[in-house]
Amino acid sequence: MIPASFDYLRPSTLDEALTMLAEAGEDAKVLAGGHSLLPLLRLRLAYPAALVDVGRVAELRGVADRGDHVYIGATTTHDEVVHSPIVKEHCPLVALATATVADPAVRHRGTFGGSLAHADPAGDLPSVAVALDMEFVVHSPTGRRTVPASGFFLDYLESALEPGEILAGVRVPKLGPGWGFHYEKFHRTAQAWATVGVAVAVRRSNGTVEEARVGLTNMGPIPVRASGVEEAVRGAEAGESLREAAGRADEGTDPPADLHAQPDYRRHLARVLTHRALLSAAAHPTG
Amino acid sequence: MTEQIKEREALGGAEVGRARRRKEDARLITGRTQWTDNIQLPGMLHVAFLRSPMAHARITRVDASGALARPGVVAAFSGADLAGEQGSLPCAWPVTEDIVIPDHPPMAVDEVRYVGEAVACVVAIDRYAAADALEAVEIDYEPLDPVLDMTEALKEGSPKVHEAGNKSFTWKFAEGDIDAAFRDAPVVIDRTYVQQRLIPSAMEPRAVVAQTDGDQFTLHSSTQIPHILRVMLALTTGIPEHKLRVIAPDVGGGFGSKLQVTAEEVLCLLLTRRMGKPVKWTESRSEGNLTVHHGRDQLQHIRLAAESDGRVRAVQVDLLADMGAYLMLVTPGIPLLGAFMYSGIYKMDAYDFTCTGVFTTKMPTDAYRGAGRPEATYAIERVMDELAAEIGVDPMEVRRRNWIEHSEFPYTTICNLTYDSGNYEAATERALALFGYDKLRAEQADRRERRDPVQLGIGISTYTEMCGLAPSRVLGSLSYGAGGWEHADVRMLPTGKVEVVTGTSPHGQGHETAWSQIVADSLGVPYEDVAVLHGDTATSHKGMDTYGSRSLAVGGIAVVRACDKVKEKARHVAAHLLEASPDDVEFSEGRFQVRGTGASRTIQEIALATFAAHDLPDGFEPRLDASATFDPDSFSFPHGTHLCAVEVDTETGATAIRSYVAVDDVGAVVNPLIVEGQVHGGIAQGIAQALFEEAVYDVDGNLLTTTMADYLLPSAADLPSFVTDRTETPATTNPLGVKGVGEAGTIASTPAVVNAIVDALRPYGVHDVRMPCTPERVWRTLRSREEESA
């Protein structure tokens, strides 16, 4: 990698990190696992004056059970998330989706918060965040604020994080019993980003779908909820009506065109994959 | 396979045939070796190239002075600055008398013709400073129209890549009466296939270190061809050949992409000559995707005439081959390497081949694993499946009706190649058994019956190819600029150890191991006592390097012959010392023994005696060493049967390979582990063409696939576990009976996979899917069929 030159700063506490970030000014970037940022540096698409490496800030890392929600520290690696008993028990959809992120090498360095803060709609975690209504805990030199997932992703690679702010962690609400989950990812190679992904949580009772949450990966500049599907499946029998409901998956989406798929194909995939995800989630209620 | 390896090991002693782990791997895998980029020299400067962002433009102004003001920058040059000395990059294969070979300046001077062409360079104290300063170089371009489509390029009024026009050459070959064969033919299959453009992706990027010491020059390069490179660089730069040493240190893969004389190699030599200091250049992956020569990119129009029972009468091929913007080292010859392989393993009465080389404003194409043969094999194996579908016969049966039978070897094909040996029946029988062909056909029928959204397809590839490049006289008849011989020196050192100098130049194939096995068996010395030297023109004086699956089939034979000479010399010395007639001295397992007596000397003792030279036969020159140069009489012809089963999800268009069986016949095997590795890697690379890889240029001529996120390479996670086996029908044209294995897997697997996909989709009216068969492409193909039938 031959990036443009930058200053490298490595704080050991969150306060120190915030101070360094403030002092470094608007051209500074936060570095965690580096798996989104470093490619941009390599391609010289980003020219940060300074990198604040939060990799050794202990308080940003780890998973905790906080009663009504699970707290995942921003620099917790994907691998740690996948193997966390707390995550597996209380938010299995997070574990399922995270397990599909890139490859083992990336999952051992890439971080949960870094991936979300990058706000790439092709990433696997943003769609899960909106499906589960996660909350983003954001620190700045002047204090702390909480941003709901529905307000965190503003545009392609653009989040609600202001200059000087650091994403400290994410609260994942516990959904409680009766829910089934599935993350359906369609990609061309194991390491490739999702062409389309569908994150689904379904609550079933007596053969009927009571409630569903459906998040779509790479179907627009930001991750979106397939609200048409959610509406259509409510109270539906867990059978053929799911296919019909899934037919609304691409409503209101604005899928991108790239080398791997044109928008009409992505729309088609969203419908097919949503159906498959609903079937899987409805078939395997957990908790 | 594992059992087979154990079986061979149990035979004991014999090195050839043993599944030895490669002796070079420890240093290659840990990277603690002389990769070119690892080389550090005192005072070394670093070069970065500014590359054209335009596919086609006139350069109206270059001002590199801004870069000179940047920190760490030592010099900056434009093409005009170097125009007087940079010469033209060579093309060594003028395939026709009237071929157009345009001038190819290493750095563009007046005009750029592809995105990525070097237009200026910065030399600085480190790589970072050099890269940073590129942005300070100012260049003005006057845009010209890009030329991107071969068919359009040949039309009157098309914008021109070069003043002489967009056609480089038309090359023809014909045998038999093609018109008679097609006249009244009961079956004619007419298809057009697209061989998409590919980007060779060696693990080690290209890298160059050039240094000078007065009038002596040394070039380290991550190249496959140190010997050819030395000759060509001497001719291009004017540096006298005897003042130029070329070293290919350990090289991390090439796949043909390092069979080249590159702009960067020439320019680094010029820069070190100008500046008197060592210079280094290492490409980034994205720079490599833009400027390593590309592969394939042909439009194949193939017609096949057959009897109603499927017996083939004739094949006619009309090929457009995209040369890119310039002709590089063997660019025009690549399609010709395939010209003689369109008949595959089949008998026919007539064959007609025409190839037109076309210029476009894209990166030049050149050799890529298989080079011409994968294209030919793809077309004939695809069209044999189409023939089978047309007449309603199982595709394997159609092949049986047409292939050369074992009893018919040696057989001279319609393309005038004499296949010395082969046993298509045996390889096929073994493959069918391992694959479970009949059972899979039954499952396929069941899924079709049930209209399963996931359909099963079976693909066959009964391929052959030509290896062992090449008989020099044949290369001469095809107007290639060099020969195809190979050289080896074998020398026994005073202590009984052996040094082998080979003219082949490994870049991952395991020559050090395989050559050691051959020498250990031949001279009866321990495997560990053999060292193999290669890749440095100061130690390896003669050689033709490594490409075209030639190393073992040509270079290995040179090693065998040099060993034979060493033994013959040693036998005379042994006879002299043992006071016997040379005719009475026998050699076995490293020991010379007088027949009928216990008197003997080891070959190591003879080596020492020839060093001391105290008591040698009259006229015998000291030291036990010999050289041999081998020029093959003929090519070798590996073959095999590959079978692929795919599951195609008709809802998403996704293809999953369910099973893959490869039974290859590469002749005798020196090291089964190395052969396995070549087969596995080769299959992966062929599957990659079928399903994943494609270099894409946009309408303005910008390459869109500059990173591995866009140019998809499969990893182990995307590939099935291959089932491999071998039959061994020795080549009759060399003493080892070897044929070559470097390209076989790549040649065989692409048509096997695409045949399987098309087979899965035939009930939907599909008879082709353009490569790579991406999910989207499969889905669109299915959708267009639905719309047609609706």
Side-chain angles (χ1 to χ4, degrees), chain B residues 372-385:
Chain B
R373 292 154 287 159
E375 297 92 310
T377 305
Y378 180 83
I380 185 66
E381 288 302 301
R382 282 285 296 109
V383 92
M384 289 302 280
D385 261 34

Side-chain angles (χ1 to χ4, degrees), chain A residues 42 44 190 264-265 268 276, chain B residues 132 286 649 651-652 718 780:
Chain A
R42 179 185 91 75
R44 295 190 172 223
D264 62 332
Y265 177 55
H268 168 79
R276 292 180 182 181
Chain B
D132 288 349
S286 295
D649 182 337
E651 289 181 346
T652 63
D718 303 300
R780 287 195 192 284

Side-chain angles (χ1 to χ4, degrees), chain B residues 341-356:
Chain B
M341 299 312 294
Y342 276 89
S343 62
I345 63 169
Y346 311 112
K347 296 177 278 192
M348 57 191 74
D349 302 324
Y351 174 64
D352 185 272
F353 175 90
T354 304
C355 172
T356 298

Side-chain angles (χ1 to χ4, degrees), chain A residues 89-216:
Chain A
E89 185 182 347
H90 298 295
C91 30
L93 183 58
V94 172
L96 288 172
T98 306
T100 73
V101 171
D103 57 36
V106 172
R107 291 197 291 274
H108 276 83
R109 281 199 179 270
T111 66
F112 190 75
S115 181
L116 287 166
H118 188 53
D120 186 343
D124 300 295
L125 304 179
S127 61
V128 177
V130 296
L132 296 180
D133 288 322
M134 293 184 194
E135 288 182 327
F136 292 70
V137 180
V138 176
H139 285 243
S140 71
T142 54
R144 192 178 85 162
R145 66 182 179 120
T146 306
V147 184
S150 58
F152 186 77
F153 303 101
L154 303 183
D155 204 344
Y156 179 71
L157 303 188
E158 193 185 328
S159 77
L161 290 170
E162 298 286 342
E165 287 188 327
I166 291 176
L167 176 64
V170 178
R171 295 178 188 149
V172 188
K174 293 183 186 173
L175 287 183
W179 288 82
F181 304 95
H182 189 76
Y183 184 65
E184 184 78 19
K185 180 175 184 173
F186 190 89
H187 50 165
R188 286 189 54 200
T189 62
Q191 288 166 305
W193 278 275
T195 307
V196 174
V198 184
V200 166
V202 166
R203 185 160 61 84
R204 261 181 62 166
S205 108
N206 301 326
T208 318
V209 175
E210 297 284 319
E211 187 183 357
R213 293 156 168 264
V214 182
L216 299 175

Side-chain angles (χ1 to χ4, degrees), chain B residues 146-274:
Chain B
V147 180
L148 300 166
D149 180 272
M150 284 191 281
T151 312
E152 293 297 318
L154 291 176
K155 288 182 182 161
E156 198 131 333
S158 163
K160 288 180 180 178
V161 182
H162 297 280
E163 201 42 49
N166 296 334
K167 192 180 104 170
S168 175
F169 65 89
T170 294
W171 188 91
K172 290 172 180 292
F173 176 86
E175 194 67 48
D177 190 340
I178 197 80
D179 294 331
F182 274 91
R183 200 179 302 133
D184 309 323
V187 184
V188 173
I189 310 287
D190 187 320
R191 296 282 187 269
T192 299
Y193 297 125
V194 177
Q195 292 283 333
Q196 78 270 32
R197 183 173 273 255
L198 301 174
I199 302 176
S201 304
M203 203 179 287
E204 184 206 12
R206 290 178 300 152
V208 178
V209 172
Q211 65 184 116
T212 182
D213 173 15
D215 64 350
Q216 183 71 41
F217 292 84
T218 302
L219 182 84
H220 291 81
S221 182
S222 176
T223 179
Q224 297 173 220
I225 53 161
H227 296 93
I228 295 172
L229 190 56
R230 184 193 192 200
V231 177
M232 290 298 167
L233 287 173
L235 293 172
T236 306
T237 63
I239 295 170
E241 192 178 349
H242 64 301
K243 305 280 189 188
L244 176 61
R245 175 182 175 190
V246 175
I247 302 173
D250 278 326
V251 176
F255 309 121
S257 72
K258 295 172 182 173
L259 163 53
Q260 193 54 270
V261 179
T262 66
E264 294 83 2
E265 287 164 335
V266 171
L267 292 168
C268 283
L269 265 182
L270 301 187
L271 292 172
T272 201
R273 180 162 72 183
R274 278 206 170 207

Side-chain angles (χ1 to χ4, degrees), chain B residues 35-113:
Chain B
W35 301 121
T36 299
D37 191 55
N38 283 353
I39 295 169
Q40 301 293 344
L41 298 172
M44 190 162 73
L45 299 170
H46 296 258
V47 185
F49 292 100
L50 186 66
R51 298 187 177 280
S52 170
M54 315 282 287
H56 197 193
R58 205 161 283 129
I59 299 171
T60 54
R61 188 182 72 98
V62 183
D63 182 359
S65 60
L68 293 171
R70 294 300 184 95
V73 172
V74 178
F77 301 99
S78 68
D81 295 333
L82 301 172
E85 55 182 305
Q86 68 175 348
S88 180
L89 292 175
C91 171
W93 205 335
V95 296
T96 60
E97 296 270 329
D98 62 350
I99 185 173
V100 174
I101 303 182
D103 191 48
H104 186 183
M107 193 179 283
V109 179
D110 306 312
E111 195 169 322
V112 289
R113 296 184 176 87

